[in-house]
Amino acid sequence: FAPAASEEGAAEEPGVRSAVARRLAVPRPPFWGSRVVKGIKLADVAAWLDEDATFKGRWGLRATRERSYDELVETEGRPRLRALLAEIQTEQLAELAVVYGYWPAYSQGNDLVVLDPEGADAPETWRELARFSFPRQPRDRRLCLADFFRDADEARDLGPDVLPLQLATMGSRVSEATAVLFEANAYRDYLELHGLSVQLTEALAEMWHARIRAELGLDGDGDLDAMLRDQRYRGSRYSFGYPACPDLEERAKVVALLRPERIGVTLSEEFQLHPEQATDALVVHHPEAKYFNAR
């Protein structure tokens, strides 16, 4: 047992790995590489919509002295939501699409090495396609996303780990529609449609994360509200720019692997996805993988 390192000492020991469980069974993906999925139904995605995030976070719905939040949801929130969803459907503003896939991978220190599926079962034929570098907590559990994957020795003994990647978009038409509203100074309509479009994109990402978990045979799903609120499922979906993987530059590697231009999504020089209604993620199946701040 080693004494806890000071903050300065921890910074001098970048190779110290966290104590997450090792040598776990790795689920077998249904395919290797990427696939494009288009023609996703708006109603299917809307079923995954986080209403609180939409009404409170995006639309600013708040209780007043006269009416409770629940009353406002019933009298204003949901009627407006139904109307906007109908408008999106009628105007064909939703071009819901996903590109996702699975790659063999292993960790090396703070890096995650992504392999060409061809020959990945034989270490002597491994070919590196990409390498993600993640920050490590300087204290506490010293977590790093790479820790949730088999290291090189485990991968040689037991076979590589699996890295699922996904990128979901609502398409560019809704972005164009919100721009028209903004230029017309129709700010309330703009804020409502824009906020809903962002949340629908997130709903599609959650829906596809569930699809990946199902394809990998992972358990833990249940009541949708509790699942989203309390993260009641195995593993996690991590998006670049957020606390566990804050470096947006790493997003370029996801784009190179997934090639989202096939669904109309591009990456800017500032490493932002366009249209705005798009979100990417890497999926970690390790049961201890929950959200954390790496810095």
Side-chain angles (χ1 to χ4, degrees):
F1 177 77
S6 66
E7 187 170 341
E8 291 183 2
E12 295 170 359
E13 298 181 281
V16 177
R17 186 176 174 129
S18 66
V20 301
R22 307 285 291 277
R23 305 185 76 84
L24 301 180
V26 169
R28 186 75 179 178
F31 63 90
W32 292 113
S34 67
R35 288 182 179 176
V36 168
V37 182
K38 297 181 179 179
I40 301 167
K41 294 180 180 179
L42 177 61
D44 292 341
V45 176
W48 286 81
L49 184 68
D50 186 333
E51 286 193 347
D52 271 356
T54 304
F55 298 150
K56 290 181 180 178
R58 299 292 178 179
W59 293 2
L61 211 60
R62 296 288 186 273
T64 66
R65 290 182 178 179
E66 293 78 20
R67 291 189 291 175
S68 68
Y69 171 73
D70 289 341
E71 184 180 354
L72 287 171
V73 166
E74 291 300 324
T75 59
E76 294 186 20
R78 289 201 180 107
R80 184 58 179 152
L81 174 60
R82 288 192 291 269
L84 273 176
L85 288 173
E87 179 182 333
I88 291 169
Q89 185 72 39
T90 301
E91 301 296 325
Q92 299 183 332
L93 299 182
E95 304 166 286
L96 297 157
V98 172
V99 57
Y100 80 114
Y102 303 92
W103 282 264
Y106 68 87
S107 64
Q108 190 173 62
N110 293 4
D111 292 351
L112 181 62
V113 180
V114 183
L115 300 172
D116 186 339
E118 189 71 30
D121 291 332
E124 64 272 13
T125 62
W126 283 354
R127 186 170 76 89
E128 181 176 322
L129 294 182
R131 180 180 291 254
F132 293 97
S133 295
F134 301 112
R136 180 176 298 281
Q137 289 178 324
R139 62 189 77 83
D140 301 326
R141 294 187 64 193
R142 294 188 54 78
L143 291 171
C144 172
L145 278 182
D147 295 354
F148 297 112
F149 294 84
R150 286 178 173 171
D151 65 21
D153 290 337
E154 291 173 294
R156 290 188 188 97
D157 292 342
L158 305 172
D161 216 309
V162 58
L163 171 66
L165 298 172
Q166 66 173 62
L167 192 151
T169 184
M170 194 176 169
S172 60
R173 289 179 188 165
V174 72
S175 185
E176 294 164 1
T178 57
V180 169
L181 292 172
F182 187 84
E183 290 298 322
N185 298 326
Y187 295 126
R188 177 175 177 178
D189 291 339
Y190 161 78
L191 288 171
E192 289 187 348
L193 181 58
H194 176 270
L196 178 57
S197 69
V198 171
Q199 288 304 134
L200 283 171
T201 305
E202 181 65 17
L204 176 57
E206 282 287 2
M207 173 181 162
W208 220 260
H209 182 196
R211 165 83 171 258
I212 287 173
R213 293 196 303 274
E215 290 186 347
L216 292 178
L218 305 182
D219 56 11
D221 291 355
D223 175 72
L224 179 60
D225 290 338
M227 188 175 67
L228 298 181
R229 183 183 63 248
D230 304 327
Q231 204 179 355
R232 291 186 185 175
Y233 45 75
R234 176 173 160 176
S236 288
R237 171 173 63 95
Y238 298 93
S239 295
F240 286 99
Y242 286 86
C245 44
D247 299 323
L248 284 177
E249 291 86 350
E250 296 292 296
R251 173 175 281 156
K253 302 169 186 177
V254 174
V255 169
L257 290 166
L258 288 176
R259 295 183 292 129
E261 64 274 9
R262 294 178 288 171
I263 57 171
V265 178
T266 59
L267 188 67
S268 74
E269 293 182 356
E270 294 77 29
F271 304 102
Q272 298 293 335
L273 297 173
H274 291 283
E276 178 187 357
Q277 290 80 359
T279 183
D280 59 347
L282 56 90
V283 176
V284 182
H285 66 79
H286 195 290
E288 293 181 46
K290 300 300 177 184
Y291 298 130
F292 65 94
N293 194 331
R295 291 179 176 170

